[in-house]
Amino acid sequence: MSESEPVPVTEGAVAADGVVFEDPEYRLAVVDLLGVIAYGELSAFERLVDDAKLAPTVRDRVEMGAMASLEFGHVVRLHERLRELGTDPFDAMAPFTAAIDLFHAHTAPADWHEGLVKAYVGDGLAADFYREIAAYLDSGTRDLVIASLEDAGQADFAVRHLRRAIGEDPRLAGRLALWGRRLMGEALTQAQRVAAERDALSALLAGGIDRPGLDLAAIGRMFTRITDRHDQRMADLGLAA
Amino acid sequence: MSESEPVPVTEGAVAADGVVFEDPEYRLAVVDLLGVIAYGELSAFERLVDDAKLAPTVRDRVEMGAMASLEFGHVVRLHERLRELGTDPFDAMAPFTAAIDLFHAHTAPADWHEGLVKAYVGDGLAADFYREIAAYLDSGTRDLVIASLEDAGQADFAVRHLRRAIGEDPRLAGRLALWGRRLMGEALTQAQRVAAERDALSALLAGGIDRPGLDLAAIGRMFTRITDRHDQRMADLGLAA
């Protein structure tokens, strides 16, 4: 390579996936997606540690801390990738802080059990949604997104504690089932808000000249899949969805 | 080795440091020390993430998160070592939770700047104290203790932010100087409480048949060194001690 041809910042991605990053609209959508996931994981990290205060034992606090530290590791890797793409990770996260902060402000758990349901159901919903989007991405970005959404053990931890608690006090089931529906409703509200404001991210789902997209029927099927998985998670807890 | 001679759980330590762990009093003191440091770091981890909520920018929250994750890594290593010594890490931490929780309950920062002073001055004080004790330990334990107390960047971070803030609003200096004295007082109160309750830990400083200890004059000099370092930290912030 001659000196007049500087290495483009996106070279890694281009080498792996051809010319996708030459489309500025696509690049913007990927930056948006990594930005929203990074801020979501930063928030999840902080919330896990915060909710650990409600834990009944020091052992539970240490388990929550271990899961939180893994989430923070994901933030670090997403930031590295954003820098490789020539973007300040804090600029990439900025458009999504309001929606994610509102989600958390509207769903502050009142006790340890609500916190566990939120960690399990909330993180599960977010992961399902981002995984659906990742299917439309270049393989490098897709792999990073999927690795970032890997369950750090929350699911097992929450199911184990919640099934036992509901077994000991069956009245918990009604309250936590309502709480699960509220989490789903609030997540949809904030997701719609983000979709309405971020054209590039929405356009990603609609496709481009060289990329397949989703028609309305396909988007409908996607939401059905996400809802089905939510119902399955609630059922795993022994709760009505 | 014949089957009638099971590998002792402390073999690694014995191999490194001779027979020190055959003294049950010494082993108990080491378990106490690793237990109190582990619970202190677990609390520091949780407090750093908690205080990050007061941070003025998302960038500051990410820096706090990175420091907190490093602290959590120390907890993991201290727990591994306690298990090697044949002790449940949660049993080892249990005698110290009340004192450390009280320290934090009595020193909840009212704002971002108080949180920074606490991270800097509080962690510094604890690290100085444990480093003094580590000088009387076998080299394996000493190395682990010193590695666990390594500053995860808090000091630089806090000094940088606080000097700028005090420069912009000199009235902060008076309030934060008082706050530093309160932190020192509360730390001494809780340390005395622990020393009064944990004979093995106190006996460690007094020495044993084969180990050198501290007479009262030496303990006095130790506290003078710790106080001097505290004053130096306050001076680094531009504050009166």
Side-chain angles (χ1 to χ4, degrees):
Chain A
M1 188 177 278
S2 78
E3 286 198 1
S4 61
E5 288 173 0
V7 179
V9 285
T10 58
E11 192 193 44
V14 170
D17 283 281
V19 295
V20 286
F21 281 96
E22 286 175 11
D23 175 355
E25 199 51 17
Y26 180 81
R27 190 183 157 286
L28 202 60
V30 167
V31 165
D32 263 9
L33 182 66
L34 301 184
V36 69
I37 296 177
Y39 190 74
E41 299 243 18
L42 176 63
S43 302
F45 160 76
E46 293 173 342
R47 298 293 150 173
L48 272 175
V49 180
D50 208 30
D51 294 348
K53 270 188 229 152
L54 305 165
T57 72
V58 176
R59 208 175 286 269
D60 293 319
R61 280 164 57 194
V62 169
E63 284 207 56
M64 299 280 273
M67 294 185 282
S69 290
L70 272 174
E71 301 249 25
F72 193 81
H74 296 157
V75 176
V76 171
R77 279 191 291 286
L78 289 162
H79 281 191
E80 282 166 5
R81 180 63 181 145
L82 282 162
R83 286 197 190 90
E84 281 171 22
L85 291 171
T87 305
D88 179 323
F90 296 94
D91 291 344
M93 296 195 298
F96 308 104
T97 56
I100 290 173
D101 287 353
L102 265 180
F103 172 77
H104 287 298
H106 291 171
T107 59
D111 61 22
W112 169 240
H113 296 119
E114 288 192 3
L116 285 179
V117 172
K118 183 174 167 182
Y120 177 52
V121 165
D123 285 10
L125 264 178
D128 284 344
F129 180 64
Y130 295 135
R131 259 190 225 109
E132 289 278 352
I133 297 184
Y136 298 89
L137 301 176
D138 63 287
S139 64
T141 308
R142 189 166 60 237
D143 291 349
L144 174 64
V145 166
I146 288 172
S148 298
L149 300 173
E150 214 173 4
D151 177 3
Q154 286 99 315
D156 267 5
F157 182 79
V159 171
R160 181 159 36 94
H161 278 71
L162 286 168
R163 289 185 73 106
R164 194 175 57 213
I166 293 166
E168 285 167 7
D169 178 8
R171 287 168 309 170
L172 255 184
R175 178 160 67 85
L176 294 181
L178 274 176
W179 174 245
R181 281 203 280 287
R182 187 161 140 213
L183 290 167
M184 178 61 149
E186 191 64 36
L188 286 178
T189 303
Q190 298 306 332
Q192 276 167 354
R193 186 180 152 168
V194 166
E197 285 174 6
R198 303 305 293 179
D199 291 340
L201 209 49
S202 312
L204 187 67
L205 289 180
I209 296 168
D210 304 318
R211 282 176 292 108
L214 291 173
D215 57 19
L216 275 180
I219 289 180
R221 286 193 298 275
M222 182 180 104
F223 273 99
T224 303
R225 283 193 299 273
I226 290 177
T227 311
D228 285 349
R229 285 195 210 105
H230 171 72
D231 293 353
Q232 184 56 52
R233 269 189 294 270
M234 296 297 281
D236 289 344
L237 298 177
L239 298 177
Chain B
M1 188 175 281
S2 77
E3 285 196 1
S4 61
E5 289 174 2
V7 179
V9 286
T10 57
E11 192 192 44
V14 170
D17 283 281
V19 295
V20 286
F21 281 97
E22 285 175 12
D23 175 354
E25 207 38 26
Y26 180 81
R27 190 184 156 286
L28 203 59
V30 167
V31 166
D32 263 8
L33 182 66
L34 301 185
V36 67
I37 297 177
Y39 191 75
E41 298 243 16
L42 176 64
S43 303
F45 160 75
E46 294 174 340
R47 298 293 149 173
L48 272 176
V49 179
D50 209 31
D51 294 348
K53 271 188 227 147
L54 305 166
T57 70
V58 177
R59 207 175 288 270
D60 293 320
R61 280 163 58 194
V62 169
E63 283 206 57
M64 299 279 273
M67 294 184 284
S69 290
L70 272 173
E71 302 248 25
F72 192 80
H74 296 157
V75 176
V76 172
R77 279 190 292 284
L78 289 162
H79 281 193
E80 282 165 5
R81 180 63 181 143
L82 283 162
R83 287 198 189 89
E84 281 171 19
L85 292 171
T87 305
D88 179 322
F90 295 95
D91 291 344
M93 296 194 299
F96 308 104
T97 56
I100 290 173
D101 288 354
L102 265 181
F103 171 77
H104 287 298
H106 292 172
T107 58
D111 61 22
W112 169 241
H113 296 119
E114 288 191 4
L116 284 178
V117 172
K118 183 174 167 182
Y120 177 52
V121 166
D123 285 10
L125 264 178
D128 283 344
F129 180 63
Y130 296 133
R131 257 189 227 109
E132 290 278 353
I133 296 185
Y136 298 89
L137 301 176
D138 63 287
S139 65
T141 308
R142 188 167 60 236
D143 291 349
L144 174 64
V145 166
I146 288 172
S148 298
L149 300 173
E150 214 175 3
D151 177 2
Q154 285 98 312
D156 267 5
F157 182 79
V159 171
R160 181 159 36 94
H161 278 71
L162 287 167
R163 290 185 72 105
R164 193 175 57 212
I166 293 166
E168 284 166 8
D169 177 9
R171 287 167 309 170
L172 255 183
R175 177 160 67 86
L176 293 180
L178 273 177
W179 175 243
R181 279 203 282 286
R182 186 159 141 215
L183 289 168
M184 179 61 149
E186 190 64 35
L188 285 178
T189 303
Q190 298 305 331
Q192 275 166 354
R193 187 180 151 167
V194 166
E197 285 173 9
R198 304 303 293 177
D199 290 342
L201 209 50
S202 311
L204 187 68
L205 288 180
I209 296 169
D210 303 320
R211 283 176 290 110
L214 292 172
D215 56 19
L216 275 180
I219 290 181
R221 285 193 298 275
M222 181 179 104
F223 274 98
T224 304
R225 283 193 298 274
I226 290 177
T227 311
D228 285 349
R229 286 195 210 106
H230 171 74
D231 293 353
Q232 185 56 51
R233 268 189 294 271
M234 296 299 280
D236 288 344
L237 298 176
L239 299 176

